[in-house]
Amino acid sequence: TQSTRPQRLLHAVQKNATRGDPRSVVKAIDNFCRQKEWAMNVGDEKGCILDSVVSEVNPVTVLELGTYCGYSTVRIASLLPPRAKIITLEFNPDYAKIARQVIAWAGLEDKIQVVEGPSGEWIPKMKEQFGVKTFDLVFLDHWKDRYLPDTKLLEDCGLLRKGTILLADNVICPGTPDYLEYVRNSPRYKSQYFKSHLEYTKAEDGLEKSVFLG
Ligand code: SAM
Ligand code: MG
């Protein structure tokens, strides 16, 4: 059955992408979203900015907030150096199930841990449950009112180090005004906007890249 959009997206991957080829998985999802049904992936245009940040940071530990179908997870994981890992949090079990299948199709299971549950509950357990010291890169792409409280939680839990990069999607559309205000004005961050467009549309949106200064 393919009664939900994530199920139809997964089907498009299994039909059009090559097993074990992450870039073909990304391409199959972008084609599906451009030609058939819009979906809330970071998308191809902002995805290129995401790729360049991942390549520049060359992170060993990555946290993603908001997995959905695993599109950005696959994009990030395919660029990670050997032994690097990404933990991605998703509180919707139906989405997490689809993401695991998309990730398996891309052949990236060894690099990715999909963790089910709300970010506010998992962040305080990260060190204990996953043996993480600090993250090199955090990609924020879950519900927009959670960016700021979860950033403060990451700070309080000691999960950021001097030089950790926060990369936040959708800072213009739908928008994250309280988060932007915080990272742009806090002396603990150096922040920069990358102008782009909302996934699969011409509406302005962008990514905010913020360096944690400690
Ligand atoms: N990063 C994905 C990509 O670009 O392919 C898209 C993620 S989608 C925009 C946001 C996802 O975050 C949704 O699947 C939603 O269920 C999940 N989510 C929202 N708030 C969350 C929270 N507090 N904890 C965990 N997951 C959350
Ligand atoms: Mg997004």
Side-chain angles (χ1 to χ4, degrees):
T1 62
Q2 296 177 38
S3 53
T4 69
R5 181 170 306 177
Q7 286 169 342
R8 293 187 291 273
L9 184 151
L10 171 65
H11 180 77
V13 166
Q14 294 174 337
K15 188 161 168 251
N16 301 310
T18 309
R19 255 185 220 266
D21 177 359
R23 289 287 133 176
S24 77
V25 169
V26 166
K27 200 173 159 200
I29 297 174
D30 285 327
N31 288 340
F32 173 79
C33 292
R34 286 198 177 278
Q35 291 158 19
K36 303 244 159 62
E37 299 178 55
W38 185 92
M40 58 178 165
N41 321 119
V42 69
D44 41 10
E45 195 185 336
K46 287 182 291 176
C48 289
I49 302 170
L50 171 63
D51 291 354
S52 61
V53 171
V54 173
S55 301
E56 175 200 315
V57 174
N58 201 30
V60 173
T61 53
V62 183
L63 174 65
E64 175 176 68
L65 302 177
T67 317
Y68 188 45
C69 299
Y71 171 91
S72 53
T73 323
V74 165
R75 252 190 123 110
I76 295 167
S78 72
L79 295 169
L80 294 181
R83 287 179 301 278
K85 289 238 153 56
I86 173 167
I87 295 172
T88 181
L89 301 188
E90 175 54 59
F91 65 14
N92 180 317
D94 297 328
Y95 296 168
K97 193 176 166 200
I98 296 288
R100 288 196 182 93
Q101 294 173 83
V102 168
I103 289 161
W105 199 270
L108 288 168
E109 305 100 307
D110 293 351
K111 287 193 162 326
I112 301 169
Q113 186 152 18
V114 180
V115 177
E116 265 178 65
S119 52
E121 282 178 24
W122 272 115
I123 289 169
K125 296 192 217 156
M126 284 280 148
K127 293 206 180 216
E128 181 195 317
Q129 294 277 320
F130 304 107
V132 177
K133 287 199 180 76
T134 55
F135 289 105
D136 300 320
L137 176 67
V138 181
F139 182 52
L140 298 94
D141 192 22
H142 55 337
W143 293 162
K144 308 313 156 193
D145 60 353
R146 289 300 309 178
Y147 285 28
L148 183 57
D150 284 345
T151 295
K152 290 180 175 168
L153 200 51
L154 287 164
E155 290 175 7
D156 293 345
C157 294
L159 288 162
L160 308 182
R161 55 149 174 97
K162 188 181 285 200
T164 294
I165 305 294
L166 305 185
L167 188 66
D169 190 26
N170 307 110
V171 296
I172 303 300
C173 186
T176 58
D178 61 344
Y179 175 81
L180 273 192
E181 212 275 322
Y182 180 71
V183 290
R184 287 178 181 176
N185 296 306
S186 164
R188 304 186 81 183
Y189 292 90
K190 187 169 177 282
S191 207
Q192 188 185 354
Y193 176 60
F194 291 83
K195 186 176 172 169
S196 186
H197 297 95
L198 178 68
E199 48 266 31
Y200 317 116
T201 77
K202 294 189 166 105
E204 184 179 340
D205 187 24
L207 295 163
E208 187 82 4
K209 178 188 169 193
S210 311
V211 188
F212 185 66
L213 302 173

